[in-house]
Amino acid sequence: MATPASALIGYAVLRANYNAEAPSYLDNFQPFILGILASSGKPFLEKRLISQTINDEFGISIPSLVVGKLLRRTNRAGLTVAVGQDAVAITDEGLKSAPAITEEVKLYERKQLELVEQFRTFVEENYPSHLDFLLQDLGQALAEYFDRHAIPLLNEGLRGRARSAEDSHGLDFLVSAFVSRLAQSDQARFAYVVEAAKGAMLASVLVLDTSGLSESLAQLRLVLDTPVMMDALGFHGPIPEAAAEQVLSLARSQGAQLVTFEHSVGEVQGILESIEISLRRGTSKSTAAGYLHFAETGQSPADLAVLRGQVGAKLRDLGIKLIARPDNYYDHGLDENKLEDLIQKRVRYWQDATRVNDVMSLSAVHRLRHGVRDKSLERCGAVLVSSNSNLVAAAVQFDHNRTGFPLALTIEALASILWVRTPAAASDVPKQVLLAAAYAGMQPSISLWSRYLDEVENLEKSDAVTPDEAIILRSSPVSRETLMEETLGDPAAVTSESPKEVLTRIKNEATAPLIGQLSELTQRTHEISQVADHASADWLTQVKAREEAEGQVLELKGEKLALEARIQSAKDEDDRRRSRINENAKLTARTRRRRIALTVRVVAALVAAVALVYFLSLSAPEGKAGATIAGVGGLVSLILSFLPKDLNLLDRWEKRHSDRVARKLLANAGFELTA
């Protein structure tokens, strides 16, 4: 038997040698057969031994019928030749074509060793209280993680094999956290993990009838179950939404019809209504992923009411068509009572309505096929796509005697099939599936969360925690993260002390930034204190020098103030002198103006009087012309001296004369004159 560690290497080797352009999907497994034959050192090998060796060395299980198909193809190509009925030998042409798989194995062995050491360091640094897990084979832990979660092999969905999670809680959480960390901060190693995931997807399709991989999916209806729709609508958070969107987009691109039943849409709306009621109540013991998502993101009851009314439109936007259940039960029906009993045993439903809806969905898918029993996905007509692996396993078990494709398929298995059909066009699908698996692996299971909520309720009833603390313990995303880190996902690890430990962790994380700030302030205070100690020897000298300097500064300030006062006094005195000079100039000009005016008036009066006397003394009129002119001139001069200011020339002369006198006096006094 192969060790799981070798399976991870085998997946990486398969992905490295995969050729999307190969004539057949099966041709990609020829390198393993040729490599085994070339390195065996034997002239021939039995078919059974070839299959066993590939499984032992690469961890890839190739069914016997598939090995027979592969050998017939290599025989026709001249790469191998049959030896009897049950053996085969490699030809010279086959030896030339055989890849150096041994060298590739060594390369991926080194990468896996690096990955294991990185995982060991991750656990030591982040989960030091769980170092006991490092005593196990870590390469095996990583490989088993792929088998259980990251890339669920299709034989779980096609052969009814449910996933075994015994004793895997702790490792599942640690590996999920490790994968998430790689995706965030170590793209090189994460790329190796993704490539191995792609190889696992390629290997998982071997259990299918691969004859139809190149056919269109136009005749296939993918019936989406309620949880898948919740993922696709984003009601379970962004990471499941991204993974579902990738798968559904890939299905649409290959021609498949995306549909869902009316009762499934009603179930989605009912879930939203239940979440709305829980949010209105303010607290809830719900373990549903939908409630936890909406509570964490702060959605209100009104927001949920709006979303309920938008479900139909949102599904149409995603290209999902709403259809009714076919009514041809009596023509193509199945034993629904038997199916319901089987599902109840495998799934263990919390609500009867959910079980009834699942039975209706599987029965309706059976009737959609109209009795067609084809083994290939492409030609089966319809299949229920669910995220509930136990439901799929129950459906497979119910239909195990039939030869057709199972009634239900997990969305991870669908992702594998769709990606293998067009790997180059959908390179992100394996990564999204891997991230979704890591996200799911870091979330508490229903049983773990229910047990934890019971302990919280007991503590609240006994007043060991306050109602506010109980709300935080129930609804905070930190509480779930802390619970998973404390218990590693194991319900048996939950005790009455678990909520208290979670609460202590939440409080410590809340105060951690403050403690960091306090530490920083303490450090700065210490540094300042050291500086002060080093400077103490010069302290007295510095104080004396500072006092002297301060005295000198005070003296200078006093002198400055006195000088400013003197300057201001001088300015005031200059202003007063300038004002007196201007007043004296005006007085001088006014006095001179009055003298001139008086002189002019006296002269004018005398001229007028003389002219009048002279005029009266003349006997002939023609001799009076000169006297008349002199009298009129004198009279006019007299009148001009009494005219208004605007027309009085003496007033204007007085103003100009005053300015000239003032400028002369100011210049004589030493004042600077402006233009």
Side-chain angles (χ1 to χ4, degrees), residues 209-217 376-379 421:
D209 177 0
T210 60
S211 61
L213 285 180
S214 60
E215 297 178 10
S216 169
L217 298 182
S376 72
L377 173 69
E378 294 78 8
R379 296 184 290 268
R421 288 170 56 88

Side-chain angles (χ1 to χ4, degrees), residues 121 171 207-208 290 306 316 324 348 355 381 413 426 428 468 481 525 531 569 571 643 654:
T121 302
L171 279 175
V207 299
L208 291 175
V306 172
R316 286 193 295 273
R348 292 178 296 181
R355 181 185 67 252
D428 280 345
D468 289 340
E481 294 174 6
T525 302
V531 172
S569 176
K571 287 182 178 180
L643 287 175
E654 179 184 342

Side-chain angles (χ1 to χ4, degrees), residues 556-572:
L556 291 174
K557 285 183 177 180
E559 293 177 1
K560 178 184 177 184
L561 292 174
L563 181 58
E564 289 175 347
R566 289 196 298 271
I567 292 172
Q568 187 61 43
S569 176
K571 287 182 178 180
D572 293 342

Side-chain angles (χ1 to χ4, degrees), residues 225-512:
D225 195 12
T226 299
V228 173
M229 282 194 291
M230 292 287 288
D231 285 347
L233 291 168
F235 296 163
H236 286 162
I239 295 180
E241 179 185 12
E245 193 280 330
Q246 285 277 350
V247 176
L248 298 184
S249 176
L250 186 56
R252 286 194 300 269
S253 70
Q254 296 184 19
Q257 305 171 51
L258 302 179
V259 301
T260 190
F261 294 126
E262 294 173 346
H263 67 267
S264 297
V265 175
E267 188 175 6
V268 170
Q269 293 172 328
I271 292 172
L272 294 180
E273 183 177 8
S274 176
I275 296 172
E276 178 186 342
I277 294 172
S278 297
L279 292 176
R280 185 173 289 111
R281 198 162 48 231
T283 182
S284 174
K285 292 181 61 179
S286 175
T287 60
Y291 167 76
L292 296 175
H293 166 66
F294 287 116
E296 283 179 14
T297 54
Q299 301 294 310
S300 68
D303 295 329
L304 269 295
V306 172
L307 280 178
R308 276 196 293 123
Q310 297 176 341
V311 169
K314 288 181 176 292
L315 290 175
R316 286 193 295 273
D317 291 341
L318 292 172
I320 302 171
K321 182 180 179 182
L322 181 63
I323 63 173
R325 299 195 308 275
D327 56 5
N328 54 351
Y329 179 80
Y330 293 102
D331 294 330
H332 304 292
L334 49 72
D335 189 343
E336 292 186 357
N337 292 328
K338 178 182 177 182
L339 176 62
E340 184 172 359
D341 291 341
L342 180 59
I343 289 177
Q344 177 61 28
K345 293 177 182 178
R346 298 295 297 264
V347 181
R348 292 178 296 181
Y349 289 92
W350 293 78
Q351 295 181 350
D352 292 338
T354 305
R355 181 185 67 252
V356 172
N357 283 333
D358 285 344
V359 172
M360 288 194 298
S361 295
L362 288 170
S363 179
V365 167
H366 179 74
R367 297 198 300 277
L368 284 175
R369 295 183 174 184
H370 300 289
V372 174
R373 298 184 180 279
D374 198 288
K375 293 188 294 183
S376 72
L377 173 69
E378 294 78 8
R379 296 184 290 268
C380 72
V383 65
L384 180 69
V385 181
S386 176
S387 59
N388 188 334
S389 60
N390 287 323
L391 172 64
V392 172
V396 172
Q397 183 178 351
F398 173 80
D399 209 31
H400 71 282
N401 289 326
R402 303 174 185 269
T403 58
F405 196 87
L407 292 174
L409 191 66
T410 63
I411 189 169
E412 298 96 336
L414 176 64
S416 295
I417 297 173
L418 295 176
W419 180 77
V420 168
R421 288 170 56 88
T422 55
S427 59
D428 280 345
V429 169
K431 181 176 75 173
Q432 294 296 342
V433 172
L434 185 62
L435 290 174
Y439 173 79
M442 296 174 67
Q443 304 305 309
S445 65
I446 292 178
S447 57
L448 171 65
W449 191 244
S450 297
R451 187 164 181 174
Y452 167 76
L453 291 179
D454 289 340
E455 295 297 341
V456 172
E457 184 177 9
N458 293 335
L459 291 175
E460 185 178 10
K461 288 180 179 178
S462 63
D463 296 328
V465 297
T466 67
D468 289 340
E469 290 173 336
I471 291 175
I472 294 174
L473 289 171
R474 291 189 184 102
S475 60
S476 170
V478 179
S479 64
R480 292 206 306 282
E481 294 174 6
T482 306
L483 177 65
M484 287 297 293
E485 291 176 0
E486 293 292 335
T487 65
L488 298 186
D490 185 3
V494 177
T495 66
S496 59
E497 295 298 315
S498 295
K500 295 180 182 179
E501 294 172 357
V502 171
L503 187 60
T504 300
R505 180 87 169 268
I506 293 174
K507 290 180 178 179
N508 289 341
E509 290 187 1
T511 57

